[in-house]
């Protein structure tokens, strides 16, 4: 399964991939210095029994839209990453539109940085996300609450991805 990240800059896409795979997909010196993805990053997670999740970490910044577009081609699933402290941002909606235009078939919402907000803020952001998603082909997308810092929710997300391998049509 090929999975691409999507979402606003600094919402935790690269940290999510690292939390799942143990690999920091930012490999260029400039990316490490700036703390921002510029080019596509790649990592994988071996689920065992020969089953591998392949991740493409796309840059979130609008200046790297060409890299983002090439990262979304031929993917099975997108993880739309939204930070709980910011909520949906303009680039979140832009990435969502691109996913639809490129006819990516499946999308999961990953609400990151949940360790930075209280329950009221988390509920408000979830409401905003559901409202935003209602207008899309991904209106039934599941939302996973994640802390890349503490790894809370990571195992649930990986288990769900594993289940999708066996329930999604090829």
């Amino acid at each position: 399964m090929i999975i691409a990240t999507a979402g606003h800059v600094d919402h935790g896409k690269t940290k999510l991939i690292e939390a799942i795979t143990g690999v920091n997909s930012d490999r260029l010196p400039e990316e490490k210095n700036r703390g921002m993805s510029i080019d596509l990053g790649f990592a994988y997670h071996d689920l065992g029994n020969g089953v591998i999740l392949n991740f493409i970490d796309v840059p979130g910044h609008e200046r790297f839209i060409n890299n983002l577009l090439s990262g979304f081609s031929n993917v099975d699933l997108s993880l739309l990453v939204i930070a709980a402290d910011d909520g949906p941002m303009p680039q979140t909606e832009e990435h969502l539109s691109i996913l639809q235009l490129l006819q990516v078939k499946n999308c999961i919402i990953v609400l990151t940085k949940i360790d930075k907000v209280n329950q009221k803020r988390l509920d408000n952001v979830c409401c905003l996300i559901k409202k935003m998603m209602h207008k899309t082909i991904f209106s039934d997308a599941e939302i996973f609450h994640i802390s890349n810092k503490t790894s809370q929710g990571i195992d649930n997300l990986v288990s769900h991805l594993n289940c999708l391998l066996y329930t999604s049509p090829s």
Side-chain angles (χ1 to χ4, degrees):
M1 177 182 284
I2 301 173
I3 304 164
T5 60
H8 192 75
V9 66
D10 201 33
H11 275 203
K13 295 178 296 298
T14 302
K15 291 293 183 191
L16 174 65
I17 300 303
E18 187 173 7
I20 294 171
T21 67
V23 174
N24 181 335
S25 57
D26 282 347
R27 65 197 185 291
L28 301 174
E30 187 176 355
E31 290 175 318
K32 292 183 185 299
N33 290 338
R34 294 171 71 179
M36 177 174 66
S37 298
I38 296 169
D39 202 359
L40 298 176
F42 302 93
Y44 72 92
H45 181 69
D46 190 341
L47 293 170
N49 299 324
V51 178
I52 295 176
L53 299 175
N54 297 286
F55 292 93
I56 302 172
D57 184 21
V58 302
H61 199 282
E62 63 188 340
R63 286 185 293 170
F64 307 115
I65 193 86
N66 290 337
N67 294 354
L68 176 143
L69 289 169
S70 56
F72 285 162
S73 60
N74 298 316
V75 300
D76 300 306
L77 171 74
S78 175
L79 300 177
L80 182 61
V81 179
I82 302 171
D85 56 346
D86 280 345
M89 299 294 281
Q91 286 169 273
T92 309
E93 294 190 36
E94 289 170 8
H95 286 205
L96 188 53
S97 294
I98 292 168
L99 290 171
Q100 293 179 99
L101 286 170
L102 294 177
Q103 299 178 348
V104 173
K105 291 178 179 62
N106 299 300
C107 181
I108 293 174
I109 310 301
V110 181
L111 188 56
T112 60
K113 302 185 183 186
I114 61 168
D115 52 297
K116 291 186 168 190
V117 299
N118 61 30
Q119 189 62 48
K120 183 178 179 182
R121 174 65 182 161
L122 196 59
D123 292 343
N124 288 340
V125 171
C126 283
C127 201
L128 290 171
I129 291 170
K130 288 176 184 175
K131 185 177 179 181
M132 176 183 72
M133 298 305 288
H134 180 71
K135 303 178 245 178
T136 73
I137 61 172
F138 307 118
S139 59
D140 294 331
E142 293 189 54
I143 301 174
F144 285 82
H145 297 194
I146 302 289
S147 169
N148 294 327
K149 187 176 185 178
T150 68
S151 296
Q152 179 183 346
I154 296 292
D155 289 341
N156 289 339
L157 176 60
V158 171
S159 292
H160 183 73
L161 294 173
N162 188 27
C163 288
L164 286 178
L165 283 169
Y166 299 103
T167 58
S168 295
S170 299

